[in-house]
């Protein structure tokens, strides 16, 4: 089973600052990784697929990088609407495991 | 507008059954692989299962936690995806989302979710 581990659990950042979220897989998943954003009371929203490709309509301040087992989601300059939960998900095998999530909160 | 609308959630006793539906619109449903994902109260996302399209022989796959209890089916003529849940346990309590699978690219369209509560 592929296990996805996100860190930190909570990230406190001031508006306008950069946020860096990490996601680690316990085995090689190549670039078969997606990132999602979820706000309270809302459904998840796809941000990044293929580890680094922004989904349609996603602002350029969101970027993804990494391959193999180590991945990063970077939000270059946090806007008020970016404070939310973020999940990574691997789809290298048929069982699309999610990480446990990182909450980005206002510092 | 591309849209997914889930329905069928509710309160059910442990050991009971429930059938969720997901109505798709705004895209060619039959072309797409579809997933079910759930989220227990205050918890993270858990992938539940996948229903592939005709091109992929309508194959299905399930998370270990629901295998042999849940069944995914689809009716392309009705643009609908279903999740038949049986032998429900209290730990199945969650919001259940259907989502369009990009096919090795994540899930790009999500419904609003339907709530299932398993309790006596």
């Amino acid at each position: 089973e592929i296990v996805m581990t996100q860190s930190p659990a909570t990230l406190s950042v001031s508006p306008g600052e950069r946020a860096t979220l990490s996601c680690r897989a316990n085995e090689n998943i190549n670039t078969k990784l997606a990132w999602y954003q979820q706000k309270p009371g809302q459904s998840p929203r796809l941000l990044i697929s293929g580890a680094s490709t922004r989904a349609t309509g996603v602002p350029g301040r969101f970027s993804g990088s990494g391959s193999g087992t180590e991945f990063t989601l970077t939000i270059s300059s946090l806007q008020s609407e970016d404070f939310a939960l973020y999940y990574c998900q691997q789809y290298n095998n048929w069982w699309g495991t999610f990480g446990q999530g990182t909450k980005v909160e206002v510092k | 507008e591309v849209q997914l609308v889930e329905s069928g959630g509710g309160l059910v006793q442990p050991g009971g059954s429930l059938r969720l539906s997901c109505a798709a619109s705004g895209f060619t449903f039959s072309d797409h692989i579809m997933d079910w994902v759930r989220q227990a109260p205050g918890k993270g996302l858990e992938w539940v299962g996948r229903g592939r399209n005709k091109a992929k022989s309508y194959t299905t796959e399930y998370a270990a936690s629901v295998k042999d209890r849940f069944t995914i089916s689809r009716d392309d003529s009705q643009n609908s995806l279903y999740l038949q849940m049986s032998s429900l346990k209290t730990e199945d309590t969650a919001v259940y989302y259907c989502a369009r699978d990009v096919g090795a690219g994540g899930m790009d369209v999500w419904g609003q979710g339907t709530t299932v509560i398993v309790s006596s």
Side-chain angles (χ1 to χ4, degrees):
Chain A
E1 177 188 349
I2 299 178
V3 177
M4 306 302 294
T5 303
Q6 291 185 242
S7 62
T10 303
L11 186 61
S12 298
V13 186
S14 300
E17 290 189 340
R18 173 187 296 259
T20 302
L21 289 68
S22 295
C23 177
R24 174 178 293 177
N26 66 339
E27 61 183 83
N28 184 7
I29 61 168
N30 301 294
T31 57
K32 301 291 183 64
L33 185 97
W35 288 96
Y36 301 87
Q37 177 193 66
Q38 187 179 33
K39 298 178 181 179
Q42 295 187 16
S43 306
R45 171 197 181 195
L46 178 66
L47 296 175
I48 301 282
S49 62
S52 61
T53 302
R54 276 191 301 276
T56 303
V58 175
R61 61 182 180 272
F62 290 91
S63 63
S65 63
S67 66
T69 62
E70 301 282 344
F71 302 87
T72 300
L73 174 69
T74 301
I75 311 171
S76 59
S77 177
L78 272 161
Q79 305 299 302
S80 57
E81 61 267 31
D82 300 335
F83 292 97
L85 267 166
Y86 293 84
Y87 294 94
C88 62
Q89 183 208 14
Q90 67 82 19
Y91 47 90
N92 190 58
N93 67 4
W94 55 265
W95 188 344
T97 330
F98 288 93
Q100 79 280 19
T102 291
K103 180 181 180 181
V104 177
E105 66 175 22
V106 179
K107 185 174 182 180
Chain B
E1 179 191 6
V2 174
Q3 194 173 12
L4 297 170
V5 178
E6 301 93 338
S7 60
L11 174 63
V12 60
Q13 291 188 338
S17 298
L18 205 59
R19 189 197 197 204
L20 306 183
S21 300
C22 171
S25 60
F27 65 98
T28 306
F29 176 77
S30 58
D31 285 349
H32 289 271
I33 298 166
M34 299 295 295
D35 289 27
W36 286 98
V37 175
R38 69 184 180 183
Q39 187 168 34
K43 302 297 184 182
L45 301 171
E46 180 187 14
W47 180 82
V48 171
R50 175 176 299 122
R52 291 194 171 87
N53 54 7
K54 183 177 181 179
K56 301 288 187 181
S57 304
Y58 294 122
T59 52
T60 54
E61 287 153 347
Y62 302 92
S65 58
V66 306
K67 189 175 172 58
D68 299 327
R69 299 189 299 121
F70 289 12
T71 301
I72 294 172
S73 61
R74 60 192 293 162
D75 184 341
D76 289 347
S77 69
Q78 297 294 316
N79 293 327
S80 293
L81 179 74
Y82 305 102
L83 180 66
Q84 178 69 48
M85 305 183 293
S86 61
S87 302
L88 282 162
K89 306 174 182 180
T90 55
E91 52 264 41
D92 294 319
T93 293
V95 175
Y96 284 74
Y97 298 100
C98 68
R100 187 174 76 174
D101 193 309
V102 182
M107 293 169 274
D108 68 339
V109 180
W110 294 67
Q112 85 289 351
T114 188
T115 299
V116 173
I117 299 173
V118 184
S119 175
S120 55

